[in-house]
Amino acid sequence: MALPRRAGAEGKRDAACGAQISGCLSSSRCCRPRGRSPWSRRKRGTIDPGRATGCDLQPVTGEPLVTLSYATGTVPRGCVSSSSLKTAQEVHILSVTAAKASAFTLNVSVVPRAGGCTRRAVLVLHCARCSATVTSPCPNLLIRTNANLNPVANASSLGPELPEDAGEQELLRWARGAYGGVTSYSELQDPRWVLLRLGEDSGSPEECVPQERFNATQHLETEVFFRGVKGCSSGTAESTRAAHIVRLQPERSSAITEVNLSLSCAEVAMSNQILILQSQANLTWSLSVNNCHIQFLVSGTYKIAAMSTELLKGEVLPDTEQGLIAKAFEKNYRVIASYSTIPVSTRVTLEIQEHEVAQEPPATPTPTSPPSDMLSHTLLLMLQPWKCTDDTMEIVIARSHLEPIKDVVNITLRDISCQAEKNATHFMLRTPLSHCGTSLESKGHAKNELILSLSKGSSLRSVPVPFQCKIPRELFLRLFPTAAFEAPQTELEVNKEAYLQASVRWEDYPADLQLKECWLAAPGAEPLLLVLANKAQGSGVAALDGSPSSRVRKVWRFRFTYAVPEGGRAPFSASLTCKAGLQNNTIFEKVLEVTVKDVWRPPNNRGLGLAAVLGITFGAFLIGALLTAGLWYIYSHTRPISKMQPVSTTAPASESSSTNHSIGSTQSTPCSTSSMA
């Protein structure tokens, strides 16, 4: 059936303009006066599926308008076993396949469980078309792969060759033959990244027998691309407004209560698109929006992270394919640019490309551009250029991102003495959380405001933009060159004192919160234990008194000297790892990668080989011979001609007197043109 042209385009809005049912980030479009929609009398959540007539969802061919990925711990096929407990190492197999025929990149992180890298581990990565990057703090990690492996620190790639074009059983059989057992096997399809947790479980089956849709959450987490995007459009539609629909499959046994959706869009000034997020009513959506002017229809409750932590009540949406399409049509979005159904996940990433369509003639006068104040608020809340640690706030804004505002002369915080440094490309500002008027009243957040100074003729006008920055509750590691604990760095100098600070922001932290252990690991060397249970370990390590701890922030400080064992060589890099937690529980873990500087290490201590020495000697001889020959050639062709004429020095005695008289009276000598008297 044909829909009225303007039917439902307005949707329901509250006094805050889209704070509940329709989340809208473009205030100029969201707050236009509207007439009452003819569909507003319909009971919420009841949509006539007949309105979806004319839209038959089909798989999107070619490049889709969206890139969708989600985090999961369930793999298509997988297994675990305890067979590796009887061997010298644990063995983890990742078998990766991709829908695309072209090469793709894959990031794999391998992390130890509680206790650190105590046991040798082998990662078998089967991915023929991968350009893989593997990172791990464990120096004893062995990697076997047929992928194009990027250089990786703290890992070795020596070992038996991986069989080519191996299937599931071939890989398992090869691993058992090469290493004696298999700890885990996971098959992955179209992964974006993989997080592998080392460790073995004596309660696992004795043999690794792959199963369908295996729950590998205990040792693996991955984010996979969704390749089943569908789309359609109404054949009779005059509107060019597009809808994107993401539906989460209901799972009764799922313990997930919050879904973090990261949304980014193509760089367009204005977009006539809507995002419909359908899930069970007990789920909360946390939306992180980057560079998007888009409306929302959301099930359950939701919040827009950059704007507020307040939960907004969503709308009861249909839970069927045709019902959701009809809902989009009711809102006058006649093009279903993407329709995706994915499992419930804690993290979802959605990237929307520009939907290029002809613009529909407006039925109402086009609103004027929003004033600079509103534009400044909207733009900065989308960019979210602020970042907080446990004791600092950092703000970096590219000048190119501020072009829509025009004439930004300066940026400060609430305390105008805290001015941003600026260069040709960026505004940059870094300050402690205790300075510049920052308020820490909200638990886990730092509040301040950016003040933009805009040039207006010969005067300046200030535009304040309040914001709050989330303070992560995690362990932070910083390395300092002096006891002043200023200007942290990532360079560790051999045989010179270094100062390590570990800190965590935790309001009213428990009394038994302690720094459980810290160690320094370098390739090819045993880890150096620095701290154990808040106490310094080793002769070159000392705990420092007077750390700036407070009720909301715990700080530990230590001094240590890194010395290279006698006969050894200083590595080029190392990693500092610390764990903190309660007495019987590790809560935080942090790794700080550092470069090692040895002032006694010559720039190049390899020397010259025999071939190089012989080559240089022969070259010097040849050059000398050529120079000698050249000089002789020049000399022989430029000396006086007289030198080449022989001169007789003897004459017969009978003729000597007459000859001499003749020469003396009538001839000139070769060396003179004057006659002799």
Side-chain angles (χ1 to χ4, degrees), residues 53-317:
T53 303
C55 180
D56 183 19
L57 287 176
Q58 297 293 330
V60 176
T61 59
E63 288 293 327
L65 292 175
V66 301
T67 301
L68 177 64
S69 59
Y70 61 94
T72 180
T74 301
V75 297
R77 286 182 64 81
C79 60
V80 294
S81 80
S82 59
S83 59
S84 61
L85 288 171
K86 304 174 184 178
T87 66
Q89 64 278 309
E90 55 184 286
V91 180
H92 300 269
I93 303 176
L94 300 179
S95 180
V96 180
T97 59
K100 289 186 176 182
S102 57
F104 61 98
T105 58
L106 177 64
N107 294 317
V108 181
S109 298
V110 182
V111 298
R113 294 186 184 177
C117 308
T118 57
R119 183 163 154 83
R120 185 172 178 239
V122 178
L123 170 63
V124 179
L125 176 60
H126 187 268
C127 184
R129 299 198 307 273
C130 288
S131 175
T133 300
V134 181
T135 57
S136 174
C138 296
N140 52 0
L141 175 66
L142 175 68
I143 302 173
R144 300 304 320 132
T145 181
N146 60 351
N148 180 19
L149 188 64
N150 295 325
V152 57
N154 296 347
S156 171
S157 59
L158 299 177
E161 290 295 328
L162 190 67
E164 293 292 335
D165 300 324
E168 175 185 286
Q169 293 303 319
E170 288 80 5
L171 277 175
L172 289 170
R173 189 161 41 248
W174 174 85
R176 293 189 188 105
Y179 301 105
V182 174
T183 309
S184 72
Y185 172 86
S186 302
E187 181 181 305
L188 304 172
Q189 293 181 355
D190 294 304
R192 178 176 243 167
W193 53 259
V194 181
L195 174 65
L196 177 65
R197 302 181 187 90
L198 299 178
E200 299 162 290
D201 187 0
S202 59
S204 300
E206 293 184 0
E207 291 295 328
C208 192
V209 180
Q211 302 174 14
E212 298 285 342
R213 290 194 57 78
F214 181 74
N215 185 0
T217 307
Q218 292 298 321
H219 69 274
L220 183 141
E221 183 179 11
T222 180
E223 184 170 343
V224 296
F225 289 100
F226 178 70
R227 302 299 187 190
V229 178
K230 299 179 180 180
C232 71
S233 62
S234 173
T236 60
E238 296 178 6
S239 173
T240 56
R241 291 144 61 90
H244 300 276
I245 302 174
V246 177
R247 179 172 178 252
L248 299 186
Q249 295 172 338
E251 295 181 9
R252 294 182 180 179
S253 60
S254 175
I256 297 175
T257 59
E258 181 170 325
V259 179
N260 292 279
L261 174 70
S262 177
L263 174 65
S264 60
C265 303
E267 295 186 1
V268 290
M270 187 169 288
S271 173
N272 52 357
Q273 303 183 68
I274 189 172
L275 176 60
I276 301 177
L277 304 173
Q278 194 276 333
S279 66
Q280 292 178 300
N282 61 345
L283 279 180
T284 296
W285 294 79
S286 178
L287 308 179
S288 176
V289 184
N290 180 30
N291 199 37
C292 292
H293 292 240
I294 193 169
Q295 292 195 31
F296 295 97
L297 280 179
V298 186
S299 293
T301 55
Y302 70 98
K303 59 185 177 181
I304 300 177
M307 293 186 175
S308 173
T309 57
E310 179 185 0
L311 288 180
L312 308 175
K313 187 176 181 181
E315 184 171 352
V316 179
L317 295 177

Side-chain angles (χ1 to χ4, degrees), residues 318-334:
D319 58 356
T320 63
E321 180 178 286
Q322 290 300 307
L324 289 171
I325 295 173
K327 186 69 175 179
F329 279 17
E330 177 192 336
K331 298 294 182 181
N332 201 29
Y333 293 89
R334 308 296 184 84

Side-chain angles (χ1 to χ4, degrees), residues 210-480:
Q211 302 174 14
E212 298 285 342
R213 290 194 57 78
F214 181 74
N215 185 0
T217 307
Q218 292 298 321
H219 69 274
L220 183 141
E221 183 179 11
T222 180
E223 184 170 343
V224 296
F225 289 100
F226 178 70
R227 302 299 187 190
V229 178
K230 299 179 180 180
C232 71
S233 62
S234 173
T236 60
E238 296 178 6
S239 173
T240 56
R241 291 144 61 90
H244 300 276
I245 302 174
V246 177
R247 179 172 178 252
L248 299 186
Q249 295 172 338
E251 295 181 9
R252 294 182 180 179
S253 60
S254 175
I256 297 175
T257 59
E258 181 170 325
V259 179
N260 292 279
L261 174 70
S262 177
L263 174 65
S264 60
C265 303
E267 295 186 1
V268 290
M270 187 169 288
S271 173
N272 52 357
Q273 303 183 68
I274 189 172
L275 176 60
I276 301 177
L277 304 173
Q278 194 276 333
S279 66
Q280 292 178 300
N282 61 345
L283 279 180
T284 296
W285 294 79
S286 178
L287 308 179
S288 176
V289 184
N290 180 30
N291 199 37
C292 292
H293 292 240
I294 193 169
Q295 292 195 31
F296 295 97
L297 280 179
V298 186
S299 293
T301 55
Y302 70 98
K303 59 185 177 181
I304 300 177
M307 293 186 175
S308 173
T309 57
E310 179 185 0
L311 288 180
L312 308 175
K313 187 176 181 181
E315 184 171 352
V316 179
L317 295 177
D319 58 356
T320 63
E321 180 178 286
Q322 290 300 307
L324 289 171
I325 295 173
K327 186 69 175 179
F329 279 17
E330 177 192 336
K331 298 294 182 181
N332 201 29
Y333 293 89
R334 308 296 184 84
V335 176
I336 307 301
S338 68
Y339 184 100
S340 308
T341 302
I342 61 175
V344 176
S345 173
T346 56
R347 287 193 302 276
V348 179
T349 303
L350 180 63
E351 300 168 8
I352 301 178
Q353 308 302 320
E354 183 175 0
H355 182 64
E356 296 182 353
V357 290
Q359 295 295 320
E360 181 184 16
T364 57
T366 303
T368 58
S369 299
S372 57
D373 290 24
M374 182 62 67
L375 185 57
S376 300
H377 280 74
T378 303
L379 186 60
L380 289 176
L381 291 177
M382 286 183 179
L383 292 175
Q384 300 183 52
W386 42 81
K387 178 182 178 182
C388 285
T389 68
D390 64 328
D391 68 337
T392 62
M393 176 186 292
E394 300 176 3
I395 298 171
V396 179
I397 309 176
R399 285 180 177 267
S400 58
H401 292 161
L402 299 176
E403 288 181 357
I405 302 178
K406 307 290 186 186
D407 303 322
V408 179
V409 177
N410 195 17
I411 297 178
T412 71
L413 289 176
R414 181 179 292 137
D415 182 349
I416 60 174
S417 65
C418 299
Q419 298 190 20
E421 297 181 2
K422 52 187 176 180
N423 56 28
T425 59
H426 288 82
F427 287 94
M428 298 163 290
L429 192 151
R430 187 176 186 271
T431 177
L433 291 179
S434 57
H435 295 173
C436 300
T438 301
S439 169
L440 301 176
E441 299 172 0
S442 177
K443 188 175 181 179
H445 290 82
K447 293 185 177 181
N448 208 312
E449 59 184 22
L450 284 174
I451 299 179
L452 278 63
S453 297
L454 308 182
S455 174
K456 188 175 182 181
S458 58
S459 61
L460 293 178
R461 189 170 63 87
S462 297
V463 178
V465 180
F467 70 91
Q468 63 178 9
C469 178
K470 181 175 177 60
I471 304 173
R473 196 171 83 172
E474 62 183 65
L475 185 65
F476 287 89
L477 294 183
R478 297 178 179 89
L479 188 66
F480 298 88

Side-chain angles (χ1 to χ4, degrees), residues 34-51:
R34 301 285 192 179
R36 184 170 178 84
S37 167
W39 303 108
S40 59
R41 298 182 182 89
R42 182 176 297 277
K43 184 180 178 181
R44 293 180 64 191
T46 59
I47 301 296
D48 182 6
R51 299 188 185 281

